[in-house]
Amino acid sequence: MSKLPDFEGLAMFAKVAEERSFAGAARALGVSVATVSRGVSRLEERLGARLLNRSSRQLALTGFGQTIAESASRIYRAAEEAEGAARELSARPRGLVRLAVPMSFGLRWVAPLLPEFFRRYPEVSVDLHLSDATVDLVADGFDAALRIGVLEDSSLVARKLCPVSRMIVASPAYLEKHGEPKHPSELASHACLGYAYRARSDVWRFRNASGEEASAHPQGPLRVTNADALIPTVLEGLAICELPEFIAADYLRSGQLVRILKDWQIPLGGLYFVTPSARSKPAKVDALSSFFIQTLSKPSWQLDELY
């Protein structure tokens, strides 16, 4: 015999005892009379004693059944309360969301949005993990992540929020001193700064309108694990670098940086809201996803000429 208590049998017996009827219990539980009868019989066999005296016209609890009925009713009520609380929790955004976000993007565009999110969802809290290193959502216990780039196939569920361009930039001072490269092959003779967390390798890949492809391997005095660390060296006119649009836009608008190789496109990436699974997504994660869809689908950093 299984050591697991027969919770279903106890629940059915509790309803029969309450309704004093198999038919009434079946209606209350939304099952057939035969299912209730089998459940009670199974419980009697497990307990080794009769719980009910049955006749064609009458149903009465035995002395043993009267003893068990109160305990069975308490168990049934406790299970109903537990299920009700669980349904409420799953339906209402509430609890902690562990969210992984690239550092520069998180500081610039996620952290400033969080106060409004907390105003809308006061029962949700966020554990914000900022790192440019790609985390394993499942192994590291994250509920969701924002990821930027050309998303590779995986078992994760991804919702694209918006496109994110990358571009090659330099300061006017650098271009005045070293000249502006017109073809990616010319980058080999320039100081180009590197980024350590590129998905495959630190290679800049290009394609022009005629379909020609080219690539460049950045070689320069600095390689970083966070793109913001490239900015001072580039602004000082010492090198060229590749930047995502959400970092570069302000510098391009102010004229501090200039976009170069405009006739060559770098593969277009995107901003994605990623979760481990589409099944049983908690309300708190759905709330965060909907919030980012609303606030990040048309971000202010986007440069009109790129789209």
Side-chain angles (χ1 to χ4, degrees):
M1 181 175 64
S2 171
K3 293 183 179 180
L4 181 68
D6 187 355
F7 293 108
E8 184 182 61
L10 287 166
M12 291 180 176
F13 170 63
K15 269 301 174 185
V16 171
E18 180 183 321
E19 298 286 338
R20 288 296 194 270
S21 163
F22 279 89
R27 284 193 299 271
L29 295 170
V31 298
S32 68
V33 173
T35 298
V36 174
S37 180
R38 285 194 299 270
V40 173
S41 296
R42 185 179 67 244
L43 183 62
E44 289 179 322
E45 183 178 352
R46 180 186 179 93
L47 298 177
R50 293 184 64 80
L51 297 167
L52 299 162
N53 287 320
R54 305 166 177 85
S55 70
S56 59
R57 295 184 179 181
Q58 188 175 343
L59 183 69
L61 294 171
T62 65
F64 179 67
Q66 289 177 341
T67 303
I68 299 300
E70 185 177 348
S71 297
S73 294
R74 282 200 303 269
I75 293 170
Y76 182 74
R77 286 195 300 270
E80 279 189 317
E81 291 172 3
E83 280 198 354
R87 281 194 296 269
E88 182 182 359
L89 186 62
S90 64
R92 183 174 62 184
R94 184 178 181 182
L96 175 67
V97 178
R98 298 195 69 232
L99 176 68
V101 181
M103 182 172 290
S104 291
F105 186 80
L107 292 172
R108 276 181 167 82
W109 299 104
V110 176
L113 294 174
L114 290 180
E116 176 59 25
F117 177 78
F118 295 139
R119 278 192 286 269
R120 294 187 194 182
Y121 302 100
E123 295 185 85
V124 179
S125 56
V126 175
D127 184 347
L128 183 62
H129 177 89
L130 296 172
S131 174
D132 286 0
T134 301
V135 300
D136 185 325
L137 265 63
V138 176
D140 296 333
F142 285 96
D143 298 296
L146 288 172
R147 289 190 174 167
I148 297 170
V150 181
L151 205 66
E152 298 180 356
D153 291 337
S154 75
S155 60
L156 301 177
V157 178
R159 167 65 186 262
K160 187 175 181 179
L161 303 180
C162 68
V164 178
S165 294
R166 302 186 70 86
M167 56 202 69
I168 307 301
V169 298
S171 70
Y174 180 90
L175 299 178
E176 183 179 351
K177 182 176 182 179
H178 300 281
E180 180 177 345
K182 300 298 183 183
H183 190 280
S185 62
E186 297 176 26
L187 292 172
S189 61
H190 290 264
C192 298
L193 308 185
Y195 178 66
Y197 284 139
R198 195 171 304 280
R200 296 180 180 176
S201 60
D202 199 6
V203 179
W204 298 349
R205 303 183 187 280
F206 302 88
R207 185 184 182 93
N208 64 14
S210 64
E212 181 185 356
E213 295 183 351
S215 62
H217 296 262
Q219 299 291 328
L222 179 65
R223 189 166 183 260
V224 302
T225 59
N226 179 266
D228 270 309
L230 301 171
I231 301 297
T233 301
V234 176
L235 289 177
E236 285 294 321
L238 300 176
I240 293 170
C241 77
E242 181 197 59
L243 288 178
E245 182 185 4
F246 64 83
I247 293 178
D250 286 343
Y251 295 101
L252 295 173
R253 288 174 178 138
S254 69
Q256 292 174 278
L257 294 178
V258 176
R259 182 179 171 219
I260 61 176
L261 296 170
K262 291 183 178 181
D263 294 333
W264 294 82
Q265 300 298 317
I266 296 174
L268 183 66
L271 170 65
Y272 296 87
F273 186 83
V274 181
T275 55
S277 172
R279 295 179 297 172
S280 303
K281 189 186 298 181
K284 60 186 180 181
V285 177
D286 270 333
L288 192 61
S289 173
S290 298
F291 179 76
F292 284 144
I293 289 170
Q294 179 184 354
T295 55
L296 293 174
S297 291
K298 295 181 179 179
S300 60
W301 75 70
Q302 289 186 330
L303 300 166
D304 293 338
E305 66 266 23
L306 297 178
Y307 304 101

